[in-house]
Amino acid sequence: MATVARCAFRQCRLCRATPAASAITGTAIRSRRNRDIQSQRNQSTDANNAASSSPKVSGIVDQISQLTLLETADLVSALKTRLNIPDIPMGGFMGGGAPGAGAAPAAAAAEEDEPAPKQEERTLFNLKLKAFDAAAKPKVIKEIKSMLGLSLVDSKKFAESVPKMMKESVAKDEGEKIIETMKAIGAEVVME
């Protein structure tokens, strides 16, 4: 262990920069490194404080930064209730991914302003494998394997445990394509 420490000590850039490298101990190097890190942190905090011109905002930021995790969670829930911010599920039902993520809150706000239609049309469905022909079992297993990304053994177990939910939260057009594909090989799939 002492050999490793000596090698690290020799290669340390702080040690090479000082003329009396042999006199510096590991503790001195650590304290110097800690001071450098602390000064960098202080500089970044000073830059952030300079960026926020309002002393009121800086005071709030200072108070929030001193909260514990539980207090922060309470603060977030209190702000959500007071400002009427809805809970948005993470990884929600946005089919477009990241490009549609910014438009979703605006669309939700626009929908709240308009009167709600009497019956909303469902856009997401669950696909359930109800039954299949015994002669088509190998084709069904192969199709399940490719659709769900399961191993051959898992696909076989899946097919043997019919009726079973195949996919959840599938768009209507994609679900219809899957139903047609499974019907062509001799399986009965229902969209719920």
Side-chain angles (χ1 to χ4, degrees), residues 6 9-10 12 14-26 28-29:
R6 270 190 256 131
F9 183 75
R10 278 190 220 128
C12 178
L14 293 175
C15 297
R16 287 191 220 159
T18 59
S22 60
I24 298 178
T25 64
I29 292 172

Side-chain angles (χ1 to χ4, degrees), residues 118-130:
K118 293 181 181 178
Q119 184 176 0
E120 295 182 20
E121 185 177 325
R122 288 183 56 189
T123 56
L124 299 174
F125 298 91
N126 297 333
L127 296 178
K128 188 174 193 176
L129 179 63
K130 285 257 183 180

Side-chain angles (χ1 to χ4, degrees), residues 21-42:
S22 60
I24 298 178
T25 64
T27 308
I29 292 172
R30 278 191 296 272
S31 65
R32 184 181 296 170
R33 191 177 304 139
N34 288 342
R35 275 184 273 141
D36 291 343
I37 291 171
Q38 188 62 36
S39 67
Q40 288 174 352
R41 285 182 184 161
N42 289 340

